Amino acid sequence: MAEVSYKHCSLMFECPKCSVINYMDPFSFWNFKGKTKCAGCDAIYAVEYSNGQRVKGPDPAQGPHDKLPGYAQSKDYKTEYTMTGKVSPPLYARAPDQKHGPTYSNVRGKPVAAGKLTAADLVGSRARFIVEGKPYKPAG
Amino acid sequence: MAMSFEEYCRDVFDPKKIFGKPEPLKGKRFLSCTQYILGPSCANYLAELGAEVIKIELPRRGEPMRHTTPFNEPKLYPLSKQMPEMGTGLGFFGANHNEYFLSVDFHKPEGQAIVKMLANKSDGVVENYRAGTFDRWGIGYRQLSQTNPRIIYQWLGGFGGWGPGRKRASYDILGQAQGGCFSVTGWPLDKGGNPSKQTIWIMDYWGGMMGAFQILACMYWRDNVSGLGNFMEYSQVQGAQRHLSDCIALYGRHGLVPQRWGNYDPLVSVHGIIKCGKSSYPNSKNPQELEEGFILVSAYKDADFAKLMKLITRDDLAKKYATHDERIKAESQYEIYPAIEAWAKDKTKEQARDILTKEGINNQPVWNSKEVSNQEHFHLRGELEWLDDPTFGDVQSQGPAFHLSDSPPRHKWAFKPVGADNEYILGKLCGFSKTKMAELEADAVI
Amino acid sequence: MKKLAAHADVIIENAPPGQWDEWGIGYRQLSQLNPRLVYAWVGQLGQWGPLKDKPGNLDPTAQAACGFVHGTGAPVAFGGTPTRSGWWMCDQVGGTGAAIGIMTALNYREEVSGRGQFVEATGAAGVIRILDYNWGWYGVDGSIRPRYGNWDLAINIYAVNPCKDGQIMVGGGHDRLWYRIWRTVGKDKPEVEQHIVEDPALKEVTARLPHYKQVETYTSLCEWMKDNTRSEAETKLQAEEVASGGVSFIDEVCEFPHYKYRGHLEIIDDVNYGKVLIGASAFLGQRTPGRVKWIGRPIGQDNEDVYRRLLGFTKADMDNLKAKGVI
């Protein structure tokens, strides 16, 4: 497959140096004048966006940057650039170190069926541990 | 009187006593052939009132709303008894309480026959497929009213069942966008704002309420006046226009186009939400709690405004904007609110609340869903409840939207897996045998 | 009031909590005079309970107190703040809740009990009811629902984003519409379509929901929309039957042909105010349509009719009460 170029694009900003695509999310960059940093190679660019169109830049510049891209990935979908300090932080509903996983007990510590079950965990279409009102123990 | 008014209210509205009181719509039966929120929530309000609402979904995977959940995270299990490893997303949460879950494939003639059978024994049908789809399948109002003239048929949708735009699909935010709601919500351009969405599918949920009201009104007319059912339609975008009638009147009379005014109020001043400089939970690990606080400050009467200005040591503004006519002007508001924010800069929203309350100035901190969940007020009144759900366990749920002293609405369960009530409903209302049901299940009709 | 209550099916009031009771015309007293009376109180947070209403409370008190304001507006990363609704949303939703409660009480009175009852509805209760998964989510793992601007935490694509001349909504939560949307984009920008549909991380509907995937999706979509006006984008998307529609301002709403054709807007020739453009009743029914007959009346316009017809007042009675400032 021939390599596709995104150099002509505005909001999908392909870094002239490392070719990583920086996603200049529309609500931060729709109208923007300042410096941003490529998430792939940390190069600083002065850019100007007006109504979603990149009207100036990217011109090489010196740091610090004003705003980070919303997200970045390489053309072959490698996403290792998406991390703190490289792209804007994501949204959190909880503490960042509290990962969401299957949970069988809720914020009050009582049983709740919020994790995967197996056929053996069921009574009809209800979870056995809920029917019995006990903490969850996997069947078998 | 022996009992204070407060005690009296608490006694007659006490959520703990609800299950000892009768259900207002007991004995009424509605079919809910619905998906997403607009149609489901409409039928849900009837189910809260005690109607037997039979929710009909496609077999196995159920309706699409079961597969939506914030960031694809929280789900309740199982999705159906055939799929214990899959869950129903919490997007399904607010619109399906108390219902009976039947799975039927409408596309198949056997499925359509089941719907007909059920509709003949029902008071009404709530439906939100694309307009005309049920009519094409032979289960629309025209056909169902032949055998059940008392049927109340409520269609809900985006642009309505007729008119040049009738074929357009709609969703909640499309209703908000094209109805005009976005254009008046959010900060104005010079404050860096955009037209803004109102959180959480409000045009769907509120539209469902409008539909439920229409059904109840029609039922009153049917049972007390005419004996006849009705074909009704609710268009979501039309609801937005009904909402925004004051903006529309302004345009009609003066040609003015109301714009966004952020967290201030275009008609009342001071009556706006301001930023406090400090977070209430500086040590929290949750970024949601690290955000600075916000608080509604309301002091629109002259005396209250003067009091507020004295409090923030800006008596000059009290003099400058002594009348409401002066305060309400755009320029005045742009001067007054930043002055209040300057005062609140070194305070949390609770500190601001305490000072304002002590001075007798109305206020309300902006609470997040955790803070709301922990308010005794809402749990005491039954607006939030820990529901002992028979399928999913201990879940926090919203309570009904209103209180009735004698025949109150109530929540019995949050929802159930796809097809959980197939046997109960098909056995009771269609007289199907177990063998017949097994056949239908094997053919994926149910 | 006591005499009027004897003739009324429904009384609706929103005075500060307990005010009417103190005056001897609350539900407790009036229901003695007319047991069939349905009495509704409406407010922001309630007429009882630790946070009950204070005099002068108006919307958006309930909006701020129920989690709505915290959840509306752009996230901090996009420079947003908690945002109130541009209209008195809690009043409207709370009012609709009250209307349902009243209608329920009337049905119950006619069919079952023969008696009225006490109804209470608040803006906070109404909006808490409709804030969908906020409460369930907190209950499961303590999550606090964040603001997400014009995007949606639970569906992608389902958002309003900027375009050449404003903003436009595009929606397609499942695969059928997802590919139709990118096909539409691909007609103008094949490289953007290719980039998205070949992204291995976007194959599953549920995999498209994490924040960064939404940034990728909407930035790519805007790469196309920035060159299209609302009307151009809408026309192209609707050719593929994708739900889409521009953010309309009030003048555009008022002049929109579909709405005019269906009578969403009507010019009412009001007896007091002349011709006024209004949003028509949204209740459409074959046999029981809603309708607007007048839009409000000057204070006391119907005094004569009501006092004579229901209470048998004479002209002298009315003059007397008027002089005292009672009516």
Side-chain angles (χ1 to χ4, degrees):
Chain A
M1 181 183 79
E3 170 103 326
V4 180
S5 169
Y6 294 90
K7 294 217 162 74
H8 61 287
C9 287
S10 281
L11 296 162
M12 292 168 73
F13 164 46
E14 181 181 332
C15 174
K17 277 192 200 155
C18 71
S19 292
V20 158
I21 303 172
N22 294 280
Y23 290 80
M24 317 301 268
D25 65 81
F27 284 99
S28 307
F29 291 96
W30 196 253
N31 289 299
F32 173 77
K33 189 178 177 183
K35 287 181 280 187
T36 189
K37 187 172 83 167
C38 168
C41 62
D42 292 343
I44 306 278
Y45 296 105
V47 286
E48 185 178 341
Y49 284 88
S50 170
N51 211 32
Q53 309 282 354
R54 193 166 68 235
V55 291
K56 256 193 200 159
D59 301 321
Q62 298 297 312
H65 59 271
D66 299 308
K67 241 181 217 178
L68 292 171
Y71 173 63
Q73 64 182 3
S74 70
K75 288 187 198 170
D76 54 352
Y77 308 108
K78 292 209 174 65
T79 60
E80 67 256 31
Y81 325 98
T82 297
M83 59 166 90
T84 314
K86 301 277 187 184
V87 297
S88 284
L91 258 69
Y92 293 101
R94 299 173 298 278
D97 58 1
Q98 184 194 338
K99 290 271 175 275
H100 180 86
T103 175
Y104 303 93
S105 97
N106 67 9
V107 72
R108 304 204 296 175
K110 295 197 174 178
V112 65
K116 290 183 181 186
L117 301 167
T118 64
D121 290 326
L122 297 183
V123 181
S125 53
R126 298 165 64 192
R128 185 178 303 278
F129 76 106
I130 298 296
V131 174
E132 293 170 356
K134 291 179 183 157
Y136 177 66
K137 254 190 245 149
Chain B
M1 257 169 237
M3 215 182 229
S4 77
F5 181 68
E6 169 114 19
E7 285 165 355
Y8 173 74
C9 287
R10 192 169 165 175
D11 182 55
V12 297
F13 294 124
D14 188 351
K16 290 198 184 72
K17 294 181 180 160
I18 282 179
F19 279 86
K21 295 179 183 179
E23 295 179 286
L25 295 191
K26 191 178 166 62
K28 305 279 189 247
R29 181 179 298 126
F30 283 83
L31 303 185
S32 174
C33 307
T34 57
Q35 44 185 355
Y36 296 107
I37 299 288
L38 179 61
S41 70
C42 174
N44 191 177
Y45 302 124
L46 304 173
E48 283 178 347
L49 293 165
E52 181 183 85
V53 172
I54 301 170
K55 165 112 178 177
I56 307 181
E57 297 174 273
L58 290 178
R60 298 178 82 84
R61 283 185 63 82
E63 66 133 310
M65 206 66 208
R66 285 187 185 264
H67 306 281
T68 59
T69 195
F71 294 143
N72 193 30
E73 283 176 352
K75 293 178 177 164
L76 296 175
Y77 291 76
L79 176 68
S80 60
K81 71 178 176 195
Q82 295 91 348
M83 297 186 184
E85 77 293 350
M86 281 184 79
T88 296
L90 291 194
F92 200 62
F93 212 96
N96 299 281
H97 286 82
N98 294 1
E99 295 178 3
Y100 293 91
F101 288 84
L102 178 68
S103 58
V104 172
D105 191 342
F106 300 118
H107 303 86
K108 301 195 164 107
E110 302 96 313
Q112 292 162 8
I114 292 174
V115 174
K116 259 190 194 162
M117 226 183 284
L118 295 173
N120 280 343
K121 294 170 181 153
S122 297
D123 292 90
V125 174
V126 181
E127 182 255 298
N128 71 337
Y129 279 71
R130 256 180 222 225
T133 307
F134 269 45
D135 190 79
R136 204 175 68 231
W137 286 342
I139 47 176
Y141 178 71
R142 286 198 286 190
Q143 298 92 358
L144 297 180
S145 59
Q146 298 289 319
T147 45
N148 181 0
R150 282 171 63 80
I151 202 158
I152 296 169
Y153 193 105
Q154 173 80 59
W155 179 86
L156 303 100
F159 290 82
W162 47 282
R166 70 186 179 284
K167 286 189 178 153
R168 292 178 61 182
S170 177
Y171 292 102
D172 169 71
I173 50 168
L174 187 54
Q176 289 192 36
Q178 288 242 290
C181 305
F182 267 78
S183 77
V184 295
T185 298
W187 288 101
L189 209 54
D190 65 343
K191 294 264 184 189
N194 287 299
S196 297
K197 168 171 106 160
Q198 318 205 26
T199 183
I200 294 264
W201 313 321
I202 171 170
M203 293 311 286
D204 274 1
Y205 272 109
W206 178 74
M209 284 175 101
M210 296 286 275
F213 174 77
Q214 200 172 357
I215 289 170
L216 288 167
C218 180
M219 207 148 70
Y220 188 92
W221 176 79
R222 182 192 73 175
D223 295 344
N224 296 295
V225 183
S226 70
L228 279 171
N230 204 350
F231 180 48
M232 302 188 294
E233 116 168 16
Y234 177 79
S235 146
Q236 192 168 56
V237 284
Q238 177 162 13
Q241 274 105 61
R242 175 68 186 79
H243 252 316
L244 296 170
S245 209
D246 59 323
C247 299
I248 287 165
L250 191 63
Y251 172 75
R253 182 60 62 100
H254 302 290
L256 293 174
V257 180
Q259 298 290 324
R260 305 184 299 284
W261 197 230
N263 284 342
Y264 309 159
D265 195 293
L267 301 185
V268 186
S269 173
V270 166
H271 188 62
I273 293 166
I274 58 128
K275 186 176 181 175
C276 302
K278 283 165 73 178
S279 152
S280 307
Y281 315 95
N283 300 320
S284 171
K285 283 184 180 169
N286 185 344
Q288 289 299 315
E289 296 191 309
L290 290 172
E291 289 180 7
E292 299 95 343
F294 286 77
I295 189 168
L296 166 73
V297 181
S298 180
Y300 46 88
K301 290 182 186 148
D302 292 344
D304 290 338
F305 178 67
K307 220 168 11 175
L308 176 64
M309 290 303 107
K310 185 160 187 262
L311 176 68
I312 67 166
T313 62
R314 289 298 302 269
D315 281 327
D316 58 316
L317 292 178
K319 268 190 215 120
K320 192 170 169 190
Y321 303 120
T323 65
H324 193 264
D325 283 352
E326 284 298 322
R327 287 197 288 286
I328 195 65
K329 290 177 182 163
E331 323 70 90
S332 323
Q333 294 199 32
Y334 268 20
E335 190 178 356
I336 294 167
Y337 286 107
I340 309 172
E341 287 192 336
W343 166 79
K345 210 171 165 195
D346 59 345
K347 297 175 181 67
T348 66
K349 60 182 188 285
E350 285 75 20
Q351 288 165 339
R353 174 194 61 193
D354 291 346
I355 298 170
L356 290 165
T357 306
K358 198 166 146 234
E359 295 294 325
I361 294 165
N362 274 348
N363 64 81
Q364 174 59 53
V366 171
W367 284 329
N368 63 36
S369 56
K370 180 179 177 182
E371 290 165 321
V372 177
S373 296
N374 290 326
Q375 289 302 327
E376 185 203 353
H377 182 78
F378 296 128
H379 280 278
L380 183 73
R381 291 168 53 86
E383 279 139 12
L384 285 173
E385 59 197 351
W386 285 97
L387 197 59
D388 182 15
D389 187 89
T391 312
F392 305 112
D394 187 51
V395 291
Q396 186 181 232
S397 164
Q398 48 271 74
F402 52 87
H403 308 266
L404 294 179
S405 60
D406 294 5
S407 58
R410 69 204 67 186
H411 284 161
K412 305 168 202 172
W413 53 84
F415 55 86
K416 295 188 191 181
V418 181
D421 295 302
N422 280 359
E423 286 185 24
Y424 173 70
I425 295 296
L426 294 176
K428 182 172 89 160
L429 297 176
C430 302
F432 287 179
S433 65
K434 235 178 165 166
T435 336
K436 168 98 175 164
M437 284 189 242
E439 274 170 30
L440 289 171
E441 201 173 316
D443 295 344
V445 174
I446 62 170
Chain C
M1 275 309 299
K2 286 181 180 166
K3 285 183 181 163
L4 280 174
H7 299 278
D9 288 294
V10 181
I11 287 184
I12 305 170
E13 60 108 340
N14 63 347
Q19 178 73 77
W20 281 40
D21 188 82
E22 198 181 296
W23 285 339
I25 49 173
Y27 175 71
R28 284 198 281 191
Q29 299 94 357
L30 296 184
S31 61
Q32 302 281 330
L33 301 172
N34 176 5
R36 286 173 59 80
L37 180 67
V38 174
Y39 183 111
W41 182 87
V42 291
Q44 293 289 310
L45 300 182
Q47 54 180 344
W48 58 284
L51 300 172
K52 72 178 177 195
D53 283 4
K54 297 179 188 74
N57 272 6
L58 300 174
D59 199 350
T61 305
Q63 286 187 36
C66 73
F68 175 87
V69 171
H70 181 267
T72 296
V76 176
F78 293 174
T81 66
T83 305
R84 56 159 283 188
S85 164
W87 26 279
W88 299 285
M89 197 267 311
C90 272
D91 282 358
Q92 301 254 15
V93 175
T96 310
I100 295 178
I102 291 165
M103 210 58 241
T104 305
L106 289 173
N107 273 314
Y108 188 70
R109 183 186 77 176
E110 299 305 324
E111 289 216 1
V112 185
S113 71
R115 291 180 55 88
Q117 55 184 310
F118 199 5
V119 181
E120 174 176 345
T122 65
V127 175
I128 284 175
R129 174 66 187 82
I130 69 178
L131 281 178
D132 202 86
Y133 52 72
N134 279 25
W135 322 116
W137 197 11
Y138 173 73
V140 166
D141 62 7
S143 292
I144 300 171
R145 182 180 186 281
R147 291 189 296 286
Y148 210 22
N150 291 351
W151 298 356
D152 196 288
L153 296 168
I155 315 174
N156 175 12
I157 290 172
Y158 184 79
V160 167
N161 279 296
C163 66
K164 196 175 180 182
D165 71 336
Q167 292 198 6
I168 183 169
M169 180 272 177
V170 183
H174 49 79
D175 267 348
R176 195 164 54 95
L177 290 170
W178 170 266
Y179 288 108
R180 283 187 195 174
I181 291 167
W182 295 114
R183 197 182 327 158
T184 312
V185 170
K187 286 177 193 163
D188 294 327
K189 306 227 164 199
E191 70 281 14
V192 175
E193 180 191 9
Q194 184 189 343
H195 183 74
I196 289 284
V197 298
E198 288 180 6
D199 187 340
L202 295 177
K203 296 282 184 219
E204 296 273 334
V205 172
T206 48
R208 297 169 195 154
L209 289 175
H211 171 71
Y212 287 129
K213 295 288 116 184
Q214 300 216 27
V215 176
E216 180 186 348
T217 304
Y218 293 132
T219 307
S220 306
L221 188 61
C222 283
E223 189 63 51
W224 172 72
M225 296 208 305
K226 73 181 194 320
D227 302 324
N228 286 277
T229 61
R230 285 173 294 172
S231 134
E232 287 161 356
E234 219 178 279
T235 309
K236 290 176 187 176
L237 287 161
Q238 276 163 18
E240 295 280 353
E241 291 184 15
V242 172
S244 63
V247 166
S248 305
F249 284 78
I250 299 297
D251 51 342
E252 295 166 322
V253 169
C254 292
E255 307 296 347
F256 193 62
H258 178 75
Y259 302 165
K260 281 182 159 175
Y261 179 85
R262 285 173 49 88
H264 292 190
L265 304 136
E266 64 177 309
I267 296 172
I268 181 166
D269 197 353
D270 188 275
V271 64
N272 291 303
Y273 306 108
K275 286 188 176 165
V276 185
L277 182 71
I278 58 162
S281 170
F283 300 125
L284 270 58
Q286 182 190 10
R287 298 198 175 92
T288 55
R291 69 207 75 181
V292 179
K293 300 179 220 170
W294 54 82
I295 51 176
R297 319 257 257 183
I299 298 171
Q301 179 171 345
D302 299 307
N303 276 4
E304 176 117 13
D305 174 59
V306 171
Y307 288 129
R308 271 187 196 277
R309 186 164 55 85
L310 296 181
L311 306 188
F313 282 9
T314 61
K315 180 150 193 320
D317 291 335
M318 278 186 276
D319 287 345
N320 185 20
L321 288 171
K322 210 172 200 171
K324 289 185 189 157
V326 178
I327 64 171

